[in-house]
Amino acid sequence: MFARFLMTAGALAITAGTAAADYSLTILHTNDFHARFEPISKYDSGCSAEDNTEGKCFGGSARLMTAINDAKARSNNWVLLDGGDQFQGTMFFTYYKGMLAAEMMNQMGYTAMTVGNHEFNHGPEVLRGFIDAVEFPVLMSNADYTGEPALKDALIKSTVIEQGGDKIGIVGLTPKSTEELSSPGPNVIFSDPAPAAQAEVDKLTAAGIDKIILLSHSGYQTDRYLADVVTGIDVIVGGHTNTYLNSNDEKADGPYPTMQNGVPIVQAYAYGKYLGELNITFDDAGNVTEAVGGPIVMDASVTENEAVKARIAEAAKPLEEIRNKVVAEAAASIEGNRDFCRAVECQMGSLIADAMLARVKDQGIDIALQNGGGIRASIDAGPVTMGEVLTVLPFQNTLSTFEVTGAVVKAALENGVSQIEEGAGRFPQVAGMTFSFDASKPAGERITSVMVGGMALDMDKTYGLVSNNYVRGGGDGYKMFRDAQNVYDYGPDLADVVAEYMASAGPVTPYTDGRITQE
């Protein structure tokens, strides 16, 4: 069944003969599941029951359950870890919040999870409900949450488990930028990951723990940095950047595991499309002597667990009427992949920005700006359901209109392209304007030209903007919008705006038109 599971050491240069004192552990891992309880298409969006029957779909909780059970059966000593962002992404989360995720993760037998930024999307209270419902520890070391009543007695920084006759320490990390990326509220103060991780590793080491896993929702490049600067880490299991690692796939973002300063780093893309399986051997001193494994693709060759499939179908019933309503037609697939929408003008970004601007064209609004990170999927050609639109725009953001000067517009665009190398979600998709940038210049100095309504941006002029309430409130680094004038944050839901715009346009032909250019 798992012929595509690649047992390769990749970049690992350390090997040793097996001794009686060696300790072997299978680390099974997922990350950035984003409520994809049902199978997904190759575009990471919804996949019909017919396509699933024909073997065209991937993932889903039912396949993941089968793969996890089979992987456990192949190992006599395993842990199952999640790198964060179980929350947000489909109507299942909109309806159930974290409760369905908790139910599924309990059934699958997770050992531990770190908090992702999206776990805060509906505030600390919803996260607390999830923590209370799960049967495993939820970790976050790089934040002070003692002032947040909902979390101060619920979260822990690290945990120690007894597994296969030995003790393993697990430390959790959350993005330092979670305040910008989500809605943790004023009482959770995030800090740099490296010192926080080092402090927990030192505590575990002082307690005699010599096998330590860093469960990090920090992103692939940050994890490589942590491997260089934090001492005492044996393995990093990551998330946040949806990184696909595979030593035998030229299209992968890197080898599996990626060896950095002697530390194996793994991540399993996103949306339940892969189950990561890393087999680690430690010597008697707790040093890693072997690390081999690879991602297991959750394609049609993985049989769906019937009990889980039935449970997800039951959970989907309340969503069906809303989700299955056909609201528009797409003449061709509309590209909404993060690789595009966080780096260049993308088809879905232009469509969404145009829809936003069209909705408020009679209110004196000049410019629309949508953060690329708020675009979560593509749409297939053919009939478009409300469920598909909600998968693209799952955050229940509302339209925000406001006024700022041209200088603030320029600052916003500089913010938008400031982290393009990292694939950050702040990249701006726009309408009513064009802009050019030079990514080779320092962040803050990259915007080279801006035109609004066919005229050069006037730094002193006041412009009307439309965005979503998350961006207007300072999300994704757009803090310059917090002091905007004539603010109204309570417009219609962005997903409804886009659905109605698509419906009015007839069959939607995807397009880009050069509104964003890179020099």
Side-chain angles (χ1 to χ4, degrees):
M1 179 184 298
F2 299 115
R4 281 160 309 290
F5 175 53
L6 305 172
M7 298 293 291
T8 174
L12 184 62
I14 306 170
T15 57
T18 302
D22 284 356
Y23 176 86
S24 296
L25 177 69
T26 298
I27 300 174
L28 306 173
H29 60 98
T30 56
N31 58 274
D32 300 274
F33 186 71
H34 286 301
R36 297 304 205 274
F37 300 102
E38 293 181 322
I40 58 174
S41 73
K42 63 181 179 180
Y43 299 104
D44 298 332
S45 58
C47 202
S48 69
E50 293 77 14
D51 284 348
N52 194 37
T53 300
E54 293 175 12
K56 298 178 180 179
C57 302
F58 300 86
S61 296
R63 282 194 182 91
L64 197 56
M65 178 68 85
T66 296
I68 288 170
N69 287 340
D70 286 356
K72 290 176 181 178
R74 291 196 297 274
S75 171
N76 60 2
N77 194 36
W78 55 266
V79 292
L80 175 59
L81 305 175
D82 187 79
D85 275 6
Q86 282 280 330
F87 283 19
Q88 202 73 62
T90 68
M91 288 181 65
F92 283 102
F93 179 77
T94 302
Y95 190 85
Y96 292 103
K97 299 299 184 282
M99 292 302 98
L100 188 58
E103 178 185 339
M104 288 294 106
M105 294 182 81
N106 286 339
Q107 286 191 33
M108 291 173 184
Y110 275 83
T111 306
M113 171 187 174
T114 195
V115 177
N117 51 288
H118 284 288
E119 267 71 71
F120 282 105
N121 275 14
H122 288 267
E125 293 79 10
V126 171
L127 174 56
R128 175 58 185 265
F130 171 80
I131 294 171
D132 288 344
V134 297
E135 299 167 354
F136 50 84
V138 179
L139 312 173
M140 183 172 70
S141 67
N142 62 315
D144 179 0
Y145 43 84
T146 55
E148 174 48 60
L151 298 178
K152 64 179 182 178
D153 299 322
L155 281 170
I156 56 176
K157 295 185 176 183
S158 63
T159 190
V160 176
I161 63 169
E162 292 196 19
Q163 190 75 23
D166 211 337
K167 292 182 178 180
I168 302 169
I170 307 173
V171 179
L173 283 179
T174 300
K176 181 184 177 182
S177 56
T178 294
E179 180 186 0
E180 296 179 355
L181 299 173
S182 193
S183 303
N187 301 324
V188 183
I189 311 302
F190 297 89
S191 61
D192 289 335
Q198 188 68 71
E200 286 305 302
V201 171
D202 289 347
K203 289 179 184 178
L204 294 169
T205 302
I209 308 300
D210 62 5
K211 300 173 181 65
I212 298 175
I213 300 170
L214 184 62
L215 191 51
S216 170
H217 194 82
S218 304
Y220 183 56
Q221 295 303 330
T222 299
D223 288 344
R224 297 183 71 173
Y225 164 74
L226 292 169
D228 284 336
V229 301
V230 179
T231 59
I233 298 171
D234 294 300
V235 183
I236 299 178
V237 177
H240 189 48
T241 45
N242 297 15
T243 304
Y244 171 50
L245 301 179
N246 192 330
S247 297
N248 286 55
D249 188 343
E250 294 180 354
K251 297 180 180 179
D253 299 311
Y256 184 111
T258 294
M259 297 303 298
Q260 185 76 27
N261 194 28
V263 178
I265 300 172
V266 293
Q267 198 173 142
Y269 183 56
Y271 312 126
K273 191 172 185 177
Y274 298 92
L275 172 67
E277 181 174 334
L278 180 68
N279 295 288
I280 294 285
T281 302
F282 297 87
D283 65 17
D284 192 41
N287 301 308
V288 174
T289 59
E290 189 175 48
V292 296
I296 307 167
V297 63
M298 299 292 100
D299 62 11
S301 69
V302 182
T303 305
E304 292 178 288
N305 179 286
E306 289 300 326
V308 172
K309 186 176 182 178
R311 173 66 185 108
I312 298 303
E314 179 186 9
K317 287 179 181 178
L319 319 178
E320 288 303 301
E321 184 175 351
I322 302 170
R323 183 167 58 180
N324 289 335
K325 181 181 179 181
V326 175
V327 295
E329 182 90 12
S333 295
I334 306 172
E335 180 62 69
N337 187 285
R338 63 183 283 143
D339 293 339
F340 296 97
C341 295
R342 298 182 181 212
V344 297
E345 178 192 356
C346 71
Q347 294 173 350
M348 194 69 74
S350 293
L351 173 65
I352 292 167
D354 284 348
M356 296 165 75
L357 192 57
R359 186 61 172 253
V360 295
K361 63 183 179 182
D362 59 347
Q363 298 179 28
I365 301 300
D366 308 291
I367 300 165
L369 188 152
Q370 164 70 21
N371 56 320
I375 302 170
R376 309 303 286 192
S378 302
I379 287 179
D380 297 343
V384 178
T385 65
M386 192 63 203
E388 288 181 282
V389 178
L390 287 165
T391 300
V392 174
L393 298 164
F395 299 115
Q396 297 177 287
N397 292 137
T398 54
L399 243 56
S400 291
T401 53
F402 52 99
E403 293 180 348
V404 294
T405 64
V408 173
V409 173
K410 173 78 159 22
L413 294 175
E414 289 285 8
N415 170 70
V417 300
S418 64
Q419 298 180 10
I420 190 171
E421 300 90 347
E422 303 169 26
R426 62 188 61 196
F427 188 85
Q429 300 292 331
V430 300
M433 70 184 308
T434 63
F435 72 89
S436 300
F437 68 99
D438 184 349
S440 69
K441 293 184 177 180
E445 303 175 13
R446 293 178 170 178
I447 299 297
T448 56
S449 68
V450 185
M451 303 287 288
V452 180
M455 301 185 67
L457 182 73
D458 184 337
M459 295 296 179
D460 298 320
K461 180 180 176 180
T462 297
Y463 293 90
L465 268 71
V466 60
S467 187
N468 60 69
N469 63 312
Y470 169 73
V471 167
R472 213 289 308 163
D476 269 340
Y478 287 96
K479 295 180 180 180
M480 67 290 298
F481 288 157
R482 288 178 177 172
D483 297 324
Q485 302 299 309
N486 294 325
V487 172
Y488 184 73
D489 285 334
Y490 310 106
D493 187 283
L494 180 55
D496 290 334
V497 170
V498 172
E500 291 170 16
Y501 181 79
M502 293 178 70
S504 67
V508 176
T509 299
Y511 56 90
T512 56
D513 53 19
R515 61 187 72 178
I516 302 171
T517 55
Q518 184 170 353
E519 297 181 358

